[in-house]
Amino acid sequence: MYRLTRLVTLADSGRLSALADEMRALATAHSAYRQLVAPTLAGSHFGGELLAHFAFDDAVQRSDFDAALAPLFAAPAVASVDGVAYQSGPGGRSEPGLANGVYRVLLLSVDEDTDPALVERFEAETRMMPHYIPAIRGWQLSRADEATGARRWTHVWEQEYADVGGLMGPYMMHPYHWARIDRWFDPECPDRIVDARLCHSFCAMEASVL
Amino acid sequence: MMTDDTAAAPTVHAIDEIVAKPGEGKALLEDYLARYAPGARARGMTLEQILVSPPMWLDDQSNTLVFLWSLAGAGAWWQMRFVGGNDPDVGAWWADADARAVSRRRFFASDPADMERLCDV
């Protein structure tokens, strides 16, 4: 499963709807078997105004689609784009029946000189979040094959929730998050390995994309 | 009668454990209190206790300094985290402190009696 996520920040927000339609049409023309293009919800941070997620059967399809997107993102109406191309990481859980929920994506960048064993430990602990926080209905943690934007994004951490309350409540407030996982991100903690610049973006979804 | 919805959020703790370089313990404690603690208090943290081990200043070996802070619940914890995590002066303080330490840990904890409520989110 070859995936592509783009967080689009617009210089001209009046183009949001038209750009979203153009991206959806391109994705259909390039045989994306799953796609989500939607305005981001309030509370996103460096998450763009438009969140776009696509899945393809093979790398060539994904690459061709990425190339086709480039002219859209080069238009004056687009201020910047953050994103990753990746294959689904190990583990993960999908709930195909989850409808009218919320899809959330976090792009993060692990420091380049980090001990690989530490990166694996960070990944393993992150993959346990859904075990402790049942509000996470679907999830996937993946390493990026390619990255674009403000950082050399190394990972994409995706979750799906029944509603935005699952993200803002249990996900944020559970001690497994703030008292355990966050030390990898916290500049005050000596365990920190993740750059402080993150892309935290979420949007409404009609159907599960994971 | 007070219900769970109106009860105060369970107190949570942040604990700094710093093993100072030999002979640095006393100066590091004084700098922590002068340079770090005021900002931490402004971020909602309350310094509950300081412990020094062993309870004498060592010239040729390491002292371990422990600082026990409290915060008024997970919401206050995130407030502290967002403000401190984005303050370059805080980052500069820790870079300096780490250069004067053999090792350092920061971890977060609660009273066992509060664990169930903290997890009920």
Side-chain angles (χ1 to χ4, degrees):
Chain A
M1 193 175 292
Y2 293 81
R3 296 177 180 269
L4 189 80
T5 293
R6 293 289 183 263
L7 310 177
V8 185
T9 300
L10 296 172
D12 175 7
S13 57
R15 279 277 297 151
L16 187 144
S17 181
L19 181 62
D21 287 344
E22 289 163 8
M23 293 169 74
R24 292 185 191 106
L26 263 184
T28 300
H30 283 80
S31 305
Y33 71 84
R34 211 165 279 172
Q35 62 166 291
L36 171 64
V37 182
T40 55
L41 296 173
S44 294
H45 187 63
F46 292 124
E49 277 112 39
L50 207 50
L51 193 168
H53 172 93
F54 310 94
F56 299 89
D57 286 324
D58 62 57
V60 174
Q61 280 182 330
R62 184 182 69 186
S63 177
D64 288 349
F65 174 68
D66 195 14
L69 279 177
L72 294 184
F73 294 155
V78 175
S80 63
V81 178
D82 286 285
V84 286
Y86 55 105
Q87 297 177 62
S88 302
R93 176 174 185 265
S94 64
E95 189 173 314
L98 185 62
N100 301 315
V102 166
Y103 169 78
R104 185 262 185 157
V105 61
L106 182 74
L107 302 185
L108 62 98
S109 177
V110 171
D111 294 346
E112 283 193 64
D113 56 355
T114 304
D115 180 346
L118 274 184
V119 178
E120 289 178 10
R121 189 170 158 200
F122 158 70
E123 292 171 336
E125 289 183 8
T126 300
R127 289 192 183 99
M128 288 303 289
M129 288 187 85
H131 170 73
Y132 292 108
I133 308 173
I136 302 173
R137 302 281 289 270
W139 63 273
Q140 184 169 259
L141 176 67
S142 312
R143 293 188 179 189
D145 296 329
E146 300 167 24
T148 187
R151 290 292 185 276
R152 173 196 53 86
W153 307 117
T154 59
H155 291 76
V156 50
W157 169 226
E158 303 166 277
Q159 309 104 56
E160 292 176 340
Y161 299 89
D163 54 45
V164 73
L167 171 62
M168 306 305 279
Y171 177 78
M172 290 302 293
M173 304 309 283
H174 196 282
Y176 190 73
H177 187 168
W178 56 266
R180 184 66 177 164
I181 292 297
D182 190 71
R183 76 189 195 285
W184 300 108
F185 295 79
D186 185 352
E188 292 203 61
C189 287
D191 292 344
R192 185 210 64 81
I193 60 170
V194 178
D195 189 277
R197 175 64 182 264
L198 306 167
C199 288
H200 158 59
S201 190
F202 56 102
C203 67
M205 64 172 195
E206 290 182 5
S208 169
V209 296
L210 295 177
Chain B
M1 188 177 82
M2 185 172 278
T3 69
D4 283 345
D5 289 342
T6 57
T11 296
V12 300
H13 296 280
I15 298 128
D16 284 327
E17 180 187 274
I18 306 173
V19 181
K21 285 185 175 174
E24 280 278 347
K26 185 171 188 291
L28 196 51
L29 170 62
E30 289 170 354
D31 276 0
Y32 186 102
L33 295 175
R35 292 178 54 193
Y36 182 74
R41 289 191 179 96
R43 293 189 289 276
M45 301 170 76
T46 300
L47 185 54
E48 302 282 1
Q49 191 172 23
I50 302 169
L51 296 170
V52 179
S53 174
M56 59 174 289
W57 294 121
L58 299 173
D59 298 323
D60 62 332
Q61 300 166 55
S62 290
N63 282 107
T64 297
L65 314 175
V66 177
F67 302 87
L68 174 66
W69 296 87
S70 64
L71 290 135
W77 186 96
W78 276 113
Q79 176 69 17
M80 170 276 291
R81 167 71 175 82
F82 285 134
V83 177
N86 289 295
D87 185 338
D89 289 342
V90 173
W93 153 254
W94 284 121
D96 181 46
D98 286 341
R100 299 160 65 188
V102 174
S103 65
R104 178 168 71 88
R105 291 201 303 151
R106 166 169 279 207
F107 54 96
F108 308 104
S110 79
D111 186 309
D114 290 329
M115 289 166 59
E116 186 174 348
R117 279 186 65 204
L118 285 166
C119 291
D120 183 20
V121 290

